[in-house]
């Protein structure tokens, strides 16, 4: 028994460390996005501030650990063995569930997962115990801490609404005061805004969140409670004097300081509230083990765990160690850095206009309803009122060549300070919140009040909000059901299933996050090259991308033909997914044209090169769109078990797949002409075969669709290659002209220098 328990504790500790790494890698964007997006400081400075916040926040999260011990189940009703089954089932389910959700790209929350996994595991173990003992199922409610569980569930759900409304209202009021050109108002109201922000951070993080710190003494907490009002007034007065003096006499910009303070606060609140999601269950398992071993000879199937209520503090060493793991992840996790860059790029309006979420029917209905309500308000309220409000929301135009930031410093400050305050408030009440959902909803509310939701993006933004809320329910249901199933297996089959499940979960999380091949990402150098929008950069991009997308398109199509002939619907599904990814990637790169056009400027040849870029990527996008549709039809054909190609149709399809591979390896007009001639022959032979064999309409359309797509891909890529060649010729001419001008200029300088020397020699003589 001792060997088994030590093995289980070791596996739980390993899973906790892996879970910490994965959780911080995915959630780091929550407290770094605003500072990175507003470019308020170098990246290493932002990481340093966030690391200090995470480390301190971890030590303040001791009180949150009670959630895993007594927040969901009633420990007096469960034995040591039953509690360990619940903990093992929870951590196995948590690892597998979060990895599955991340792989599918579905929104999820570690907080929602852990709460409902504990609930599902408790109900499963309780039902098993009641069934085996023959007791009535009416006793099931005595195993669940229903009051606390309901408070946590409602807190998570209500926090989403509160975060959105608070972000909307506060940002709207501040924008009315400061406007987008806030330099003038900032001189008079900047000190007040900064003092309020810093005072709110101190109050919610220290005075409210300090109660759960492992090192806090009761007399310290009592002193803060008795002097709260005086402390807040003193802090506000101090920061107001400091900030206002710096603004008036030093002309200092205090927003970077507020943003970095908000980054610290949000990192602090994240660690304080979310650490229980990663190490709460392992700490509870360790405490249960200590209780069990403190009574020698105790029976694990008899001894209950009511003593967990008496363990209210977690050792500071464990909390600090967890904080160190989280800090190391911030600095060294490439995944965390990639997620941050992706989030910043997606929130920018100058990166091609790609939205993170698609459209949905409820979002469309809500937008149309809002537009109708807006028309009604315009009929009731005088136009002068709307005109006055509009003047407060006029955005300054970026200068030519200047990169527009995703959001300004005022909005970044609101996002950080408000999200930190909400999360820290919940932590002080020992209520777990989803930091991901809270920060997301605050950002959505502030962006709505800033009129970032125009008619081009409103449907997609609302769809994102609805997707987050839907993901909440999906995560809750999946977590409770899956953990209940795993707990039932462990309760019935015992030690072997527990060990196998934990080892399997450890292998899955290690393989998924540490040994999987990552897709290549767009580097900052490539992004800067695109943003230049000059002739030579665009020519270089087309030379690289055209060959790359031609290779991928023809490879997917030829592989699709082979998979169709083998009647392999699974391979066709994967190839269709790859074609969708290809279409999205090409569409995103084509959207870069709009950012280059918005920047304007440049010489005529640069503007012509941008036009070449747009035409080339438009042709490639149309090809990828047709490829997706054609593979979708083929997949449905095979999945529905329709009759396969036979005779000449099959032979021509096999030959077409081979010729597509040959054209991919050596794309030339001669090779394309040869394939087009084969397509003509294939279509003529089909007209003979359809009359002899009475081929069905469905099979005919699919076969002709293959031939038609082959024509389209060759014709369009020949057009793209022609555009690429023309641009290369024009770029070469430009380079020659500039080289010739440079040579002429150099010769003129040399000649002028010689004349000057001759004149000097004459004067000397």
């Amino acid at each position: 028994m001792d060997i088994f328990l030590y093995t289980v504790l070791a596996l739980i500790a390993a899973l906790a460390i892996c879970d910490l790494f994965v959780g911080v890698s995915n959630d780091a964007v929550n407290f770094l996005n605003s500072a990175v997006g507003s470019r308020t400081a170098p990246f290493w400075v932002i990481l340093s501030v966030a690391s200090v916040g995470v480390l301190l926040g971890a030590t303040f999260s001791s009180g949150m650990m009670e959630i895993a011990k007594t927040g969901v189940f009633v420990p007096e009703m469960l034995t040591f063995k039953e509690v360990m089954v619940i903990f093992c089932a929870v951590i196995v389910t948590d690892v597998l569930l979060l990895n599955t959700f991340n792989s599918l790209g579905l929104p999820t929350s570690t907080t929602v997962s852990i709460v409902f996994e504990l609930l599902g595991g408790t109900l499963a173990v309780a039902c098993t115990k009641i069934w085996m003992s023959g007791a009535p199922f009416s006793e099931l409610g005595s195993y669940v801490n229903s009051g606390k569980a309901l408070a946590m569930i409602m807190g998570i759900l209500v926090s989403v609404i509160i975060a959105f409304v608070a972000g909307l209202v506060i940002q709207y009021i501040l924008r009315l005061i400061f406007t987008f050109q806030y330099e003038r108002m900032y001189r008079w109201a900047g000190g007040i805004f900064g003092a309020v922000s810093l005072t709110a951070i101190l109050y919610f993080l220290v005075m409210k969140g300090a109660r759960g710190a492992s090192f806090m003494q009761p007399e310290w907490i009592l002193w803060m409670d008795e002097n709260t009002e005086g402390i807040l007034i003193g802090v506000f007065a101090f920061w107001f004097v400091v900030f206002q003096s710096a603004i008036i006499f030093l002309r200092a910009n205090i927003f970077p300081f507020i943003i970095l303070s908000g980054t610290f606060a949000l990192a602090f609140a994240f660690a304080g509230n979310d650490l229980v999601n990663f190490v709460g269950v392992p700490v509870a398992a360790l405490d249960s083990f200590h209780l069990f071993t403190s009574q020698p000879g105790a029976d694990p199937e008899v001894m209950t765990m009511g003593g967990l209520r008496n363990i209210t503090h977690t050792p500071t060493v464990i909390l600090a160690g967890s904080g160190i793991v989280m800090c190391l992840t911030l600095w060294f996790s490439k995944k965390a850095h990639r997620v941050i860059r992706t989030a910043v790029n997606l929130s920018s309006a100058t990166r091609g206009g790609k939205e993170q979420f698609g459209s949905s029917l409820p979002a469309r209905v809500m937008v149309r309803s809002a537009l109708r309500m807006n028309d009604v308000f315009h009929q009731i309220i005088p136009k002068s009122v709307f005109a006055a409000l509009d003047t407060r929301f006029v955005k300054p135009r970026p200068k030519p060549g200047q990169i527009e930031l995703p959001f300004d410093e005022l909005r970044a400050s609101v996002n950080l300070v408000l999200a930190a305050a909400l999360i820290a408030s919940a932590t002080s009440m020992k209520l777990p919140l989803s930091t991901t959902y809270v920060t997301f909803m605050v950002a959505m509310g502030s962006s709505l009040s800033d009129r970032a939701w125009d008619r081009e993006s409103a449907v997609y933004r609302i769809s994102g909000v609805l997707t987050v809320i839907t993901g909440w329910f999906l995560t809750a249901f999946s977590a409770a059901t899956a953990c209940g199933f795993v707990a039932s297996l462990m309760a019935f089959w015992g030690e072997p299933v527990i060990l196998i499940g934990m080892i399997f979960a450890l292998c899955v999380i290690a393989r998924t996050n540490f040994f999987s091949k990552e897709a290549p990402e767009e580097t900052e150098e490539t992004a800067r090259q695109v943003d230049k929008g000059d002739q030579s950069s665009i020519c270089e991009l087309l030379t690289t991308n055209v060959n790359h997308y031609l290779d991928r398109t023809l490879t997917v199509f030829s592989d699709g033909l082979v998979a169709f002939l083998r009647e392999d619907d699974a391979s066709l599904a994967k190839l269709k997914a790859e074609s969708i990814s290809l279409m999205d990637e090409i569409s995103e790169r084509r959207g870069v044209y709009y950012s280059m056009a918005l920047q304007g400027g440049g010489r005529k040849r640069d503007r012509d090169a941008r036009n070449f870029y747009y035409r080339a990527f438009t042709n490639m996008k149309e090809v990828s769109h047709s490829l997706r549709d054609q593979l979708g039809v083929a997949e449905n054909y095979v999945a529905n078990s329709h009759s396969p190609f036979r005779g000449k149709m099959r032979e021509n399809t096999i030959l077409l797949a081979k010729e597509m591979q040959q054209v991919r390896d050596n794309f030339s007009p001669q090779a394309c002409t040869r394939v087009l001639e084969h397509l003509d022959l294939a279509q003529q032979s089909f007209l003979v075969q359809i009359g002899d064999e009475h081929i069905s309409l469905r099979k005919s359309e699919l076969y002709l669709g293959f031939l038609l797509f082959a024509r389209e891909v060759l014709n369009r890529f020949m057009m793209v290659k022609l555009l690429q060649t023309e641009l290369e010729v024009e770029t070469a001419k430009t380079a020659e002209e500039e080289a010739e001008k440079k040579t002429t200029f150099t010769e003129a300088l040399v000649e002028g220098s010689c004349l000057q020397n001759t004149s000097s020699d004459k004067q000397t003589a």
Side-chain angles (χ1 to χ4, degrees):
M1 183 67 181
D2 290 342
I3 297 176
F4 169 74
L5 287 177
Y6 283 117
T7 304
V8 168
L9 288 176
L11 289 173
I12 288 178
L15 285 170
I17 294 174
C18 293
D19 213 12
L20 271 173
F21 179 87
V22 176
V24 175
S25 296
N26 283 287
D27 291 351
V29 66
N30 297 338
F31 51 87
L32 293 175
N33 187 25
S34 294
V36 175
S38 60
R39 299 184 184 178
T40 191
F43 188 61
W44 68 269
V45 174
I46 297 172
L47 275 185
S48 300
V49 172
S51 299
V52 176
V54 165
L55 191 58
L56 292 177
T59 62
F60 275 62
S61 65
S62 176
M64 293 294 292
M65 298 301 162
E66 295 180 21
I67 293 169
K69 302 173 188 175
T70 59
V72 176
F73 58 76
V74 179
E76 292 84 359
M77 298 295 296
L78 298 169
T79 65
F80 172 69
K81 180 180 178 180
E82 292 164 347
V83 164
M84 292 302 293
V85 166
I86 293 174
F87 291 151
C88 292
V90 166
I91 197 162
V92 168
T93 306
D94 193 56
V95 167
L96 297 178
L97 185 69
L98 292 181
N99 272 275
T100 301
F101 271 63
N102 291 336
S103 300
L104 297 176
L106 297 175
T108 186
S109 165
T110 55
T111 305
V112 173
S113 299
I114 204 72
V115 170
F116 279 90
E117 282 158 2
L118 284 168
L119 182 61
T122 301
L123 291 175
V125 170
C127 288
T128 303
K129 184 175 181 178
I130 291 173
W131 177 69
M132 294 182 69
S133 63
F137 276 93
S138 58
E139 295 183 5
L140 185 62
S142 61
Y143 288 85
V144 179
N145 188 353
S146 56
K148 182 68 174 178
L150 182 61
M152 290 190 294
I153 293 170
M154 292 304 298
I156 296 171
L157 184 59
V158 172
S159 67
V160 174
I161 302 173
I162 293 176
F164 181 79
V165 174
L168 173 69
V169 173
I170 293 176
Q171 179 64 28
Y172 189 82
I173 294 173
L174 289 174
R175 189 61 75 186
L176 283 178
I177 296 172
F178 285 96
T179 75
F180 281 96
Q181 301 178 7
Y182 48 78
E183 291 80 7
R184 183 186 307 170
M185 197 66 192
Y186 162 78
R187 182 174 177 83
W188 306 108
I192 298 176
F193 175 74
V196 170
S197 300
L198 270 292
T199 304
I201 289 173
L202 176 74
Y203 175 71
F204 287 108
L205 259 65
V206 180
M207 303 186 69
K208 298 287 285 184
R211 301 175 187 277
S214 57
F215 54 83
M216 285 296 292
Q217 301 296 325
E219 55 269 20
W220 300 352
I221 299 176
L222 180 62
W223 181 83
M224 286 192 299
D225 290 340
E226 293 175 350
N227 299 277
T228 299
E229 201 171 311
I231 294 173
L232 293 180
I233 294 174
V235 170
F236 175 82
F238 171 79
W239 284 115
F240 174 74
V241 172
V242 171
F243 285 146
Q244 201 62 38
S245 301
I247 292 171
I248 294 176
F249 300 109
L250 303 178
R251 298 183 181 275
N253 181 11
I254 65 170
F255 278 111
F257 185 81
I258 297 174
I259 291 173
L260 290 177
S261 300
T263 301
F264 167 84
L266 192 52
F268 184 103
F270 162 80
N273 197 277
D274 271 19
L275 187 60
V276 66
N277 303 337
F278 310 123
V279 301
V281 169
V283 167
L286 182 62
D287 290 339
S288 300
F289 174 76
H290 287 158
L291 280 176
F292 175 70
T293 55
S294 66
Q295 299 183 17
D299 188 350
E301 297 186 7
V302 176
M303 178 182 175
T304 59
M305 288 290 103
L308 287 175
R309 293 190 183 276
N310 302 323
I311 305 176
T312 57
H313 286 281
T314 303
T316 306
V317 175
I318 295 178
L319 299 177
S322 302
I324 291 173
V325 173
M326 298 169 81
C327 292
L328 292 175
T329 302
L330 283 180
W331 282 94
F332 298 108
S333 172
K334 293 182 179 179
K335 181 179 180 181
H337 297 174
R338 185 176 66 253
V339 170
I340 293 166
R341 285 195 298 270
T342 302
V344 172
N345 287 342
L346 286 176
S347 61
S348 174
T350 62
R351 299 287 301 168
K354 181 180 178 180
E355 294 291 340
Q356 188 173 1
F357 299 95
S359 63
S360 63
L361 180 60
R364 296 171 190 166
V365 172
M366 293 174 69
V367 169
R368 289 175 183 171
S369 301
L371 291 174
R372 294 191 185 99
M373 290 179 62
N374 184 58
D375 293 337
V376 172
F377 286 143
H378 274 76
Q379 294 175 3
I380 298 174
I381 302 175
K383 294 182 178 179
S384 57
V385 175
F386 286 104
L389 291 175
D390 290 340
T391 59
R392 312 300 293 178
F393 290 88
V394 177
K395 296 182 180 179
R397 279 186 169 273
K399 299 177 181 178
Q402 180 183 2
I403 300 176
E404 184 179 358
L405 297 178
F407 34 75
D408 61 7
E409 293 174 322
L410 179 66
R411 190 160 132 206
S413 302
V414 171
N415 289 345
L416 289 166
V417 175
L418 183 57
L422 291 174
I423 296 169
S425 298
T427 303
S428 67
M429 294 183 288
K430 297 182 180 180
L431 290 175
L433 293 185
S434 171
T435 56
T436 302
Y437 290 177
V438 169
T439 53
F440 175 81
M441 296 302 285
V442 168
M444 285 292 99
S446 64
S447 63
L448 174 60
S449 62
D450 260 359
R451 300 190 178 182
W453 294 22
D454 56 14
R455 294 188 64 167
E456 303 299 325
S457 60
V459 170
Y460 307 104
R461 302 291 172 86
I462 294 176
S463 295
V465 174
L466 297 177
T467 301
V468 167
I469 297 174
T470 304
W472 189 94
F473 289 103
L474 181 61
T475 302
F477 177 77
S478 303
T481 305
C483 190
F485 176 72
V486 174
S488 299
L489 292 179
M490 291 182 175
F492 275 108
W493 297 98
E495 297 177 3
V497 174
I498 292 175
L499 291 177
I500 292 172
M502 298 188 72
I503 294 173
F504 176 73
L506 187 61
C507 293
V508 168
I509 195 171
R511 180 182 180 275
T512 305
N513 296 280
F514 301 106
F515 298 104
S516 62
K517 293 183 179 179
E518 298 177 349
E521 61 184 33
E522 180 183 0
T523 61
E524 293 183 5
E525 182 180 354
T526 304
R528 286 194 298 267
Q529 187 183 37
V530 170
D531 288 335
K532 288 179 183 177
D534 60 277
Q535 187 186 57
S536 60
S537 298
I538 293 174
C539 180
E540 185 178 347
L541 277 172
L542 279 183
T543 302
T544 304
N545 286 308
V546 168
N547 295 329
H548 172 68
Y549 291 126
L550 172 64
D551 180 82
R552 286 181 61 183
T553 301
L554 295 180
T555 299
V556 171
F557 180 53
S558 60
D559 290 348
L561 293 176
V562 174
F564 170 77
L565 294 174
R566 292 201 314 262
E567 298 188 62
D568 187 353
D569 56 334
S571 296
L572 282 171
K574 292 180 181 178
L575 291 169
K576 180 186 175 183
E578 187 175 347
S579 69
I580 293 174
S581 175
L582 177 65
M583 184 182 69
D584 291 341
E585 187 177 331
I586 293 176
S587 300
E588 184 177 357
R589 287 192 174 274
R590 188 185 75 153
V592 174
Y593 168 79
Y594 296 100
S595 64
M596 294 188 294
L598 285 173
Q599 291 177 14
R603 295 164 292 187
K604 182 180 183 301
R605 58 171 172 260
D606 295 333
R607 296 194 295 272
D608 292 340
R610 295 168 192 168
N611 187 35
F612 276 95
Y613 179 91
Y614 180 77
R615 291 169 62 190
F617 271 91
T618 297
N619 279 281
M620 290 190 288
K621 180 187 176 183
E622 293 300 323
V623 169
S624 64
H625 190 280
S626 299
L627 176 63
R628 181 204 63 179
D629 293 343
Q630 196 60 41
L631 290 178
V633 174
E635 180 195 2
N636 291 332
Y637 189 94
V638 174
N640 293 328
S641 301
H642 295 304
S643 60
F645 287 176
R646 301 188 185 280
K648 202 65 177 176
M649 291 174 64
R650 185 178 183 86
E651 294 175 6
N652 287 332
T653 305
I654 295 173
L655 181 59
L656 178 60
K658 293 180 179 179
E659 289 186 338
M660 287 291 107
Q661 294 174 356
Q662 294 174 0
V663 170
R664 176 198 63 190
D665 299 333
N666 183 22
F667 190 90
S668 63
Q670 294 79 11
C672 292
T673 302
R674 186 184 69 250
V675 178
L676 290 173
E677 291 174 354
H678 163 71
L679 293 174
D680 291 335
L681 295 175
Q683 192 158 356
Q684 292 173 10
S685 65
F686 171 73
L687 294 176
V688 176
Q689 188 176 1
I690 192 175
D692 296 339
E693 301 181 11
H694 302 289
I695 300 172
S696 67
L697 177 62
R698 182 178 288 106
K699 184 185 294 186
S700 302
E701 289 184 342
L702 179 60
Y703 179 71
L704 293 174
F706 286 151
L707 302 183
L708 184 62
F709 174 76
R711 290 181 185 276
E712 181 181 7
V713 68
L714 294 177
N715 289 329
R716 285 192 179 274
F717 268 99
M718 280 197 290
M719 176 65 70
V720 170
K721 283 286 187 179
L722 179 61
L723 291 170
Q724 178 188 345
T725 303
E726 290 182 14
L727 183 58
E728 289 174 350
V729 171
E730 293 296 327
T731 305
K733 286 183 180 178
T734 302
E736 290 177 2
E737 292 174 359
E738 291 181 351
E740 186 177 344
K741 289 179 180 179
K742 187 176 181 180
T743 302
T744 304
F745 181 70
T746 304
E747 292 175 352
L749 285 178
V750 172
E751 183 179 351
S753 178
C754 292
L755 291 174
Q756 186 176 4
N757 291 337
T758 304
S759 174
S760 177
D761 291 342
K762 289 180 179 180
Q763 291 177 2
T764 303

